[in-house]
Amino acid sequence: GTSLSLDGERLLIGAPGEDSPAANATGLVHIAEAPLGPWSLAGSLGVSDLMPGDRFGYAVALEGEWAAVGAPGRDDHGWNSGCVFLFRNTPTGWVEEDRLFPAAHSGGARFGHSLALLGNTLVVGAPEDSRPEIGSGAAYVFTRDSADNWSMETALTVEGLGEFQRFGVAVAQDASTIA
């Protein structure tokens, strides 16, 4: 896998170049669990409308019963604008709950290149976002409310950052800081 996220006895393994049931070379995320001993594959995450080059699973983040999966090659809002898929583990299995997108006119942003999920906050890196300069990058902050709805709180950029600095290529967070 290209990306990993571990929470307790569950591991997400992103494989963004793997064939999925949707099409070849779209990406897939494997779920491994070790509830009583050795690790074993317990399933996978995917969606039916993936296209080759979406790179589903390029970044993954796991927190409790929520999983975020980045697809920075997705073209919903322009070429390589990107998308983040949110899944929740329910008694009947993993269910896609939501899709998050970058700001309008974000072609080439590669939103979903990096992810950090903690509690009700998700940080999404978009290193090719062109605000304020071409490829200067951004990190988007989303929060989940009590009804499990996700909404964008802010887009973080760096004033004075030059072209192609790729802010957001990696993101992290703890209880009080987003980096």
Side-chain angles (χ1 to χ4, degrees):
T2 299
S3 58
L4 302 170
S5 185
L6 176 67
D7 186 23
E9 296 175 342
R10 184 174 293 138
L11 175 67
L12 294 183
I13 305 161
E18 191 168 319
D19 296 345
S20 74
N24 293 335
T26 56
L28 197 62
V29 174
H30 300 283
I31 304 166
E33 295 180 345
L36 300 172
W39 289 93
S40 62
L41 288 178
S44 61
L45 300 175
V47 293
S48 62
D49 63 342
L50 292 172
M51 299 295 292
D54 280 356
R55 309 223 9 102
F56 180 86
Y58 188 86
V60 293
L62 179 64
E63 169 83 6
E65 300 306 314
W66 286 90
V69 178
R74 191 136 171 115
D75 299 332
D76 293 284
H77 289 236
W79 176 80
N80 281 344
S81 54
C83 175
V84 172
F85 296 83
L86 292 163
F87 295 87
R88 185 169 48 164
N89 192 16
T90 69
T92 58
W94 289 90
V95 176
E96 182 186 349
E97 291 284 335
D98 206 350
R99 294 181 184 191
L100 307 177
F101 300 97
H105 311 293
S106 294
R110 297 191 186 274
F111 177 88
H113 183 275
S114 55
L115 301 169
L117 178 60
L118 182 63
N120 296 328
T121 304
L122 173 65
V123 182
V124 179
E128 301 293 329
D129 194 290
S130 292
R131 294 174 301 138
E133 299 290 335
I134 295 172
S136 57
Y140 290 80
V141 180
F142 291 84
T143 57
R144 179 171 43 100
D145 65 22
S146 60
D148 290 333
N149 297 309
W150 292 86
S151 60
M152 188 177 79
E153 295 298 316
T154 191
L156 304 172
T157 59
V158 178
E159 183 82 26
L161 193 63
E163 293 182 355
F164 304 108
Q165 295 301 303
R166 303 193 75 218
F167 177 74
V169 74
V171 295
Q173 66 174 314
D174 67 10
S176 62
T177 305
I178 293 174

